[in-house]
Amino acid sequence: MDFQLSDDQRALRSGMRDLLGAVFDRDRLRAAVERGGAVDRGLWRELGAAGFFALRLPEAEGGVGLGLPEAVLLFEEAGRALLPGPLVATHLAAGLVKGAAEGEAVVTAADGRLPVAHLGEADAVLAGAGALAGEALRACAAAARPVRSMDPLTPLHRMPSAERTTAHSERFRCEAALLTAAEQLGSAARTTEAAVQHAGEREQFGSPIGSFQAVKHLCADMLARTEPARAAVYAAAVTGDPVEIAAAKLLADEAAVRNARDCLQIHGGMGFTWEADVHLHLKRAWLRSACWLGGAAAEELLAADLGAAGPLPGSSAAYGRAGVEAGGGG
Amino acid sequence: MDLAYTKAEEEFRGRLREWLAAVLPGLPAKPSPDDWPARRAYDTTWQRMLYDAGYAGLHWPVDAGGRGATPTQHLIFLEETEKAGAPYVGANFVGLLHAGPTVAAEGTAEQRARWLPPVLRGDEVWCQGFSEPDAGSDLAALRTRAVRDGDDYVISGSKIWTSHAEVADWCELLVRTDPKAPKHRGISWLAMPMDAPGITVRPLRTLAGSTEFAEMFLDEVRVPVRNRVGAENDGWRVTMVTLSFERGTAFVGEVVACRRTLDVLADEARSNGRWDDPVLRRRLGRLNAELRSLWRLTEWNVSESQRTGGVPGIGGSVFKLRYSGVRQELYEAAAEVLGADAFDMDREWVLDRLSSLSYTIAAGTSQIQRNIVAERILGLPKGR
Ligand SMILES: Cc1cc2nc3c(=O)[nH]c(=O)nc-3n(C[C@H](O)[C@H](O)[C@H](O)COP(=O)(O)OP(=O)(O)OC[C@H]3O[C@@H](n4cnc5c(N)ncnc54)[C@H](O)[C@@H]3O)c2cc1C
């Protein structure tokens, strides 16, 4: 057992961070907000060239031949950077929809009755084992009603009938949930950093606000949400187990949403402005939490996994461990 | 990232399982929770069995009498013994989990030879005399004095919340050896024999009704200077070593135990009809996610310490902060499953619900853990 990133995995992650730092810095993020989150086709192709979409396609099919653990690292970086676009759907469409692997096509997917992201600019919508494109897609888009999206980075449409386009396989849903969880993880880690940085710089009452315990403890709790979520997401990527993926999604959703809220609080009035990036993280995190596996469904799945334990061997009512046995304040 | 255990690790697990299956049925009946001498006897018997089978001090260095096992093997050991329902480390807790490792890391050859083998064999039990009535979270504010007199320290003061002091042979004791130095600088770490004249132990009753900890009054207790571990006045640094052990591995088995309790809760809820309540059901589902992630986080921390050479990292504070809260939520959920039985001390989990209240206090309160995480991991400025 060696549950640490390999050197290759570390290199992959830092390569992705560097790439995004170069092609999607804060100015471009704000420009994307001004454009309403519309996909930047040039950037999309650059991601394709970097193997973002083809990462898990076998090499024989022109892919990179890596697995879910590596994909999760890339999506974590995308989540950190708030990279817009139907990243999960296009990644899952590689090998299925022409041009998806290369970043030539923008592919989206519908999830139940939720509004569909980036429908207006998509070249295809995944539908069961295939995809809607061309005439069928145009008809679908024409019948859909644009929504004034709460998240400025994710344009949304509501579709009249979602039957065909939501017939995804179980495996598809699981992988979509996991990759979404990875984006949430990246966002949670980023808002923690932003909060810590602000708390170290902003002064009130003659001291950095980070020296006040009320602020400090918010930051500590952010890390204490992020790290268990990270362990859950990485482990789920290694095992691919649906229950483990549900746990990962649940914890990553919570970490992303609550960390963004705490980060906003720590930024004070500045946090409530359009200028601060934190609202972008929060809105995106809210949207992602509803996607692919919402909290209630994940909890039901995790509940169904419980039971059949047999009698408790170390029954502590007799004598096991009554309480922590030692102290020490530190 | 590789979550699979190696062939050697799986073989280790297999042999351990066989051994556990062979010896556990022959264990004597568990003593009553309040009979400390019986608990000591029970726990040390188990320790002796581990010793004879070569499982004692698995994670200790070989030159300290341990087996030099990898952190992963130690993890497997904790997981399997918990799953099999083997006795908890119990009265041997302090000796095995922190005084011992501290002596192994900081003690002289002579000190190791004197103190470590009896801990491993279950012959001697240790307790922890850190906290004082006026120095809990602010541990370095401790006032118990040690004045040098020839080859002895003469110690006066008092300690509190000392777990199983009643049955301990030794106490890892923090004393102030230089009252004029800044508070972190004048402390020393001593091994105090509990039968020395001048020690009075007065049991305190916990809210669960048990007497697992005690007050300790020290009236001119003489402890040889050679019992000091580390340099005089360097005890705070030694203490940090002790605390990193305490937070690093102390809770591993408990995560396994909690997951098992959660399974039993689900079974019980299904049979008593509470499962039909979606709010309760989903609460149990969420706890499943929490405990799974804490187990994975443990594996992560263990892998990391394996890479960095065995000393538990500061990640233990993140774990402890989160785990102590989850443990309390688990037993709140248990009370809901039990319904009216939640007030019957003879029912399973009722005692656990009460004891879970100590988890956010003992071994450093949650507020102190948050300070540690914020200042030492996230690098925020120290408070005023
Ligand atoms: C079951 C149990 C077993 C124990 N066993 C042992 C043992 O064997 N040996 C031993 O030495 N000790 C032991 N302890 C003691 C334990 O380590 C202390 O209780 C703990 O460190 C808290 O100290 P205190 O009780 O003095 O509380 P205090 O320090 O008085 O704390 C009271 C409250 O104030 C808060 N607080 C204090 N300082 C700060 C701060 N700087 N910032 C924010 N909040 C703060 C605390 O979080 C807490 O909520 C045990 C305790 C328990 C409950």
Side-chain angles (χ1 to χ4, degrees):
Chain A
M1 197 266 302
D2 181 16
F3 191 12
Q4 296 284 297
L5 299 191
S6 68
D7 292 343
D8 285 349
Q9 287 169 332
R10 276 172 221 276
L12 183 74
R13 183 169 70 175
S14 66
M16 186 68 193
R17 190 171 297 188
D18 293 346
L19 173 73
L20 289 178
V23 300
F24 194 69
D25 59 8
R26 183 152 194 281
D27 288 345
R28 302 215 196 156
L29 167 66
R30 300 311 299 200
V33 171
E34 295 316 313
R35 287 199 315 275
V39 173
D40 172 346
R41 294 276 177 165
L43 176 54
W44 209 249
R45 275 185 214 103
E46 279 191 73
L47 288 173
F52 190 91
F53 301 117
L55 190 78
R56 292 190 301 137
L57 270 191
E59 285 177 54
E61 292 169 37
V64 189
L66 292 174
L68 268 180
E70 287 76 21
V72 152
L73 296 176
L74 296 190
F75 276 80
E76 183 184 341
E77 290 307 315
R80 273 182 77 87
L82 274 172
L83 192 64
L87 295 161
V88 171
T90 304
H91 176 95
L92 290 172
L96 204 69
V97 172
K98 194 160 166 291
E102 298 79 18
E104 293 295 337
V106 171
V107 185
T108 190
D111 175 25
R113 292 165 55 184
L114 291 173
V116 183
H118 301 277
L119 181 65
E121 47 188 333
D123 301 307
V125 181
L126 287 171
L132 297 186
E135 197 45 51
L137 174 63
R138 271 191 293 280
C140 171
R145 187 168 61 78
V147 173
R148 206 156 66 83
S149 177
M150 182 224 257
D151 174 15
L153 286 168
T154 315
L156 296 173
H157 276 76
R158 205 167 267 163
M159 294 219 271
S161 152
E163 271 157 46
R164 215 183 128 200
T165 49
T166 54
H168 304 297
S169 69
E170 203 40 50
R171 172 144 176 242
F172 179 92
R173 292 186 162 279
C174 273
E175 292 185 357
L178 178 66
L179 297 174
T180 307
E183 288 185 281
Q184 297 283 58
L185 173 64
S187 174
R190 181 70 195 102
T191 50
T192 306
E193 278 172 25
V196 168
Q197 190 185 350
H198 185 72
E201 288 166 358
R202 171 73 173 168
E203 292 195 4
Q204 289 293 341
F205 301 96
S207 305
I209 56 169
S211 67
F212 304 132
Q213 216 170 42
V215 172
K216 197 176 275 188
H217 286 192
L218 283 177
C219 294
D221 283 336
M222 290 167 82
L223 189 74
R225 279 184 216 117
T226 309
E227 292 312 302
R230 178 185 306 285
V233 169
Y234 288 4
V238 173
T239 65
D241 173 57
V243 181
E244 212 150 5
I245 289 175
K249 180 71 171 31
L250 189 67
L251 297 180
D253 283 344
E254 180 173 290
V257 170
R258 293 193 52 191
N259 285 10
R261 295 182 76 126
D262 287 351
C263 179
L264 194 151
Q265 179 69 19
I266 288 171
H267 278 76
M270 173 60 78
F272 193 68
T273 68
W274 191 265
E275 267 318 293
D277 293 342
V278 57
H279 71 107
L280 301 174
H281 278 282
L282 180 56
K283 291 165 179 172
R284 203 71 183 280
W286 270 331
L287 197 61
R288 290 190 198 111
S289 340
C291 276
W292 300 116
L293 189 62
E299 283 170 354
E300 287 287 3
L301 223 149
L302 285 151
D305 167 63
L306 293 173
L312 264 188
S315 158
S316 48
Y319 152 47
R321 59 187 46 132
V324 193
E325 307 241 355
Chain B
M1 282 189 287
D2 184 3
L3 288 170
Y5 288 81
T6 63
K7 192 151 169 281
E9 286 161 354
E10 287 301 352
E11 278 166 13
F12 172 80
R13 187 194 295 276
R15 281 194 304 278
L16 175 59
R17 270 191 193 160
E18 277 171 33
W19 179 74
L20 287 166
V23 302
L24 289 181
L27 277 184
K30 284 180 175 165
S32 119
D34 255 343
D35 186 346
W36 271 95
R39 284 179 67 162
R40 179 196 154 121
Y42 184 85
D43 295 339
T44 52
T45 302
W46 171 243
Q47 183 58 32
R48 180 69 201 211
M49 288 167 72
L50 289 174
Y51 180 81
D52 290 340
Y55 289 116
L58 203 58
H59 58 304
W60 289 19
V62 175
D63 63 6
R67 309 272 298 180
T70 61
T72 303
Q73 281 175 322
H74 186 218
L75 183 76
I76 294 171
F77 173 80
L78 294 168
E79 183 184 9
E80 291 300 327
T81 45
E82 190 62 57
K83 277 189 177 158
Y88 181 55
V89 58
N92 297 306
F93 185 94
V94 173
L96 279 168
L97 293 180
H98 44 101
T102 304
V103 170
E106 300 287 333
T108 61
E110 206 185 343
Q111 290 174 331
R112 292 163 162 220
R114 168 62 192 87
W115 288 316
L116 299 181
V119 167
L120 292 180
R121 283 195 305 263
D123 291 344
E124 290 180 349
V125 164
W126 287 63
C127 63
Q128 182 189 43
F130 283 14
S131 305
E132 296 184 4
D134 292 325
S137 299
D138 189 8
L139 182 56
L142 61 92
R143 289 211 293 252
T144 293
R145 273 175 298 118
V147 181
R148 212 141 156 178
D149 180 25
D151 290 338
D152 288 341
Y153 286 113
V154 180
I155 302 166
S156 293
S158 68
K159 294 285 170 178
I160 196 165
W161 321 126
T162 319
S163 299
H164 50 74
E166 274 184 274
V167 293
D169 305 291
W170 292 93
C171 177
E172 49 171 6
L173 189 75
L174 293 185
V175 292
R176 185 155 300 285
T177 33
D178 182 357
K180 291 194 212 77
K183 71 179 187 182
H184 292 91
R185 303 262 168 74
I187 295 172
S188 299
W189 196 108
L190 306 180
M192 175 176 78
M194 290 295 285
D195 58 1
I199 303 177
T200 310
V201 172
R202 196 169 70 83
L204 291 164
R205 197 173 154 116
T206 70
L207 58 74
S210 59
T211 53
E212 68 197 40
F213 52 33
E215 260 176 310
M216 210 159 52
F217 301 96
L218 309 174
D219 182 17
E220 307 211 329
V221 180
R222 296 188 86 89
V223 171
V225 170
R226 64 167 187 278
N227 283 19
R228 191 190 64 231
V229 173
E232 187 167 272
N233 300 327
D234 193 29
W236 186 252
R237 191 189 56 76
V238 181
T239 303
M240 289 302 110
V241 172
T242 309
L243 293 181
S244 76
F245 283 112
E246 178 169 0
R247 287 166 197 155
T249 44
F251 302 103
V252 170
E254 303 199 8
V255 176
V256 181
C258 284
R259 172 53 218 247
R260 204 177 160 84
T261 301
L262 188 58
D263 279 329
V264 180
L265 279 179
D267 286 341
E268 170 114 359
R270 285 197 183 93
S271 66
N272 75 8
R274 300 288 287 124
W275 193 252
D276 297 335
D277 174 353
V279 176
L280 177 60
R281 202 169 59 226
R282 282 166 50 181
R283 194 163 160 192
L284 298 181
R286 171 168 287 268
L287 283 162
N288 185 3
E290 298 276 7
L291 289 171
R292 279 168 174 271
S293 80
L294 286 169
W295 178 253
R296 294 307 193 185
L297 187 60
T298 300
E299 288 183 322
W300 184 271
N301 287 341
V302 163
S303 291
E304 190 172 11
S305 76
Q306 189 140 314
R307 285 212 177 181
T308 54
V311 179
I314 198 149
S317 284
V318 170
F319 178 89
K320 201 232 169 206
L321 179 55
R322 186 83 179 202
Y323 173 69
S324 52
V326 169
R327 186 176 174 99
Q328 290 173 359
E329 285 165 31
L330 172 69
Y331 289 106
E332 287 308 301
E336 278 221 25
V337 172
L338 286 174
D341 283 351
F343 308 98
D344 176 352
M345 287 291 283
D346 286 331
R347 273 306 308 255
E348 201 92 65
W349 311 316
V350 176
L351 184 57
D352 288 323
R353 183 187 187 196
L354 294 174
S355 340
S356 76
L357 299 171
S358 72
Y359 278 69
T360 44
I361 299 170
T365 69
S366 293
Q367 284 70 34
I368 295 300
Q369 303 300 341
R370 286 189 180 95
N371 288 350
I372 293 174
V373 170
E375 288 167 12
R376 295 199 223 148
I377 304 180
L378 296 175
L380 283 168
K382 268 195 126 18
R384 289 172 299 170

